[in-house]
């Protein structure tokens, strides 16, 4: 049975594959736009973001905005890497061999990425609030900066990584006895 045969027999894998490709594309596009905005803010200031009432932006504000954009770009990169790892897991399931050591490694990497994204969101949200206040806007609050669901997801992924490692070891032991 080929990979495409397995995916056509399992509609969930087919849908997951399409969704992952879509998410990867949108994330890459967003990352490119964010990175392009960094020199735009440096060169053109508030005019670049169509906010002439904020001109001239101070050098400090430009640096802070560029720092925020760089942080967002880093988060988008981690998000993209998360879904690339998921894509590898989905592919291995489609091939009929998910309990392999590389999937345990992928799950561990995904857990660390989720944890890093949740931790990085806190200072980025604070920076965004600070920038909003510098330019005279009401920045809101940091309620969304810490996500308990993300921490639970990271713990779940760490546990699944151990399950996959144990499953791969058990399969290797079984193959060695046959």
């Amino acid at each position: 049975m080929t990979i495409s045969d397995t995916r056509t027999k399992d509609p969930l894998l087919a849908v997951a594959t399409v969704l992952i490709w879509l998410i990867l594309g949108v994330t890459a596009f967003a990352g490119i736009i964010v990175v392009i905005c960094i020199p735009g803010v440096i060169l053109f200031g508030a005019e670049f973001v169509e906010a002439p009432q904020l001109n001239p932006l101070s050098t400090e504000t430009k640096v802070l905005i560029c720092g925020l954009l760089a942080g967002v770009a880093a988060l988008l990169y981690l998000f993209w890497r998360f879904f690339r790892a998921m894509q590898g897991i989905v592919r291995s399931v489609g091939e009929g061999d998910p309990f392999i050591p590389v999937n345990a490694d992928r799950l561990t990497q995904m857990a660390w990425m989720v944890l890093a994204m949740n931790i990085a969101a806190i200072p980025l949200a604070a920076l965004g609030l600070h920038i909003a206040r510098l330019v005279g806007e009401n920045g809101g609050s940091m309620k969304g900066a810490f996500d308990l669901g993300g921490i639970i997801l990271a713990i779940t992924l760490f546990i699944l990584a151990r399950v996959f490692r144990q499953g791969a070891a058990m399969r290797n032991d079984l193959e060695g006895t046959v």
Side-chain angles (χ1 to χ4, degrees):
M1 182 179 302
T2 66
I3 296 171
S4 60
D5 292 340
T6 305
R7 287 195 182 137
T8 56
K9 290 184 181 191
D10 190 343
L12 179 60
L13 290 179
V15 168
T17 300
V18 169
L19 285 176
I20 289 170
W21 275 112
L22 180 66
I23 290 167
L24 287 171
V26 168
T27 304
F29 179 75
I32 290 167
I33 296 300
V34 168
V35 169
I36 288 171
C37 286
I38 293 171
V41 168
I42 292 169
L43 296 173
F44 304 109
E47 291 174 2
F48 183 74
V49 291
E50 296 184 12
Q53 72 277 13
L54 301 179
N55 268 335
L57 284 180
S58 69
T59 303
E60 175 195 1
T61 304
K62 286 181 183 181
V63 168
L64 291 174
I65 291 171
C66 290
L68 179 63
L69 290 171
V72 169
L75 285 179
L76 287 168
Y77 175 71
L78 287 174
F79 190 75
W80 185 83
R81 292 253 338 257
F82 179 91
F83 278 96
R84 284 289 293 164
M86 184 181 289
Q87 185 179 45
I89 293 171
V90 169
R91 186 179 315 111
S92 71
V93 171
E95 293 168 351
D97 196 14
F99 289 102
I100 52 177
V102 71
N103 278 347
D105 294 341
R106 286 176 179 139
L107 287 165
T108 301
Q109 291 168 1
M110 290 167 69
W112 283 113
M113 285 182 249
V114 167
L115 198 57
M117 286 186 280
N118 274 276
I119 291 169
I122 296 168
L124 285 176
L127 181 57
L129 284 173
H130 180 67
I131 292 168
R133 290 186 184 117
L134 281 177
V135 297
E137 295 290 324
N138 179 7
S141 69
M142 284 185 46
K143 290 179 186 174
F146 180 77
D147 181 19
L148 184 60
I151 302 302
I152 292 170
L153 175 60
I155 292 168
T156 303
L157 289 169
F158 280 125
I159 292 168
L160 281 174
R162 288 188 179 189
V163 169
F164 269 65
R165 241 181 230 99
Q166 186 67 29
M170 289 171 66
R171 189 188 66 175
N172 287 341
D173 288 346
L174 184 62
E175 287 175 354
T177 60
V178 174

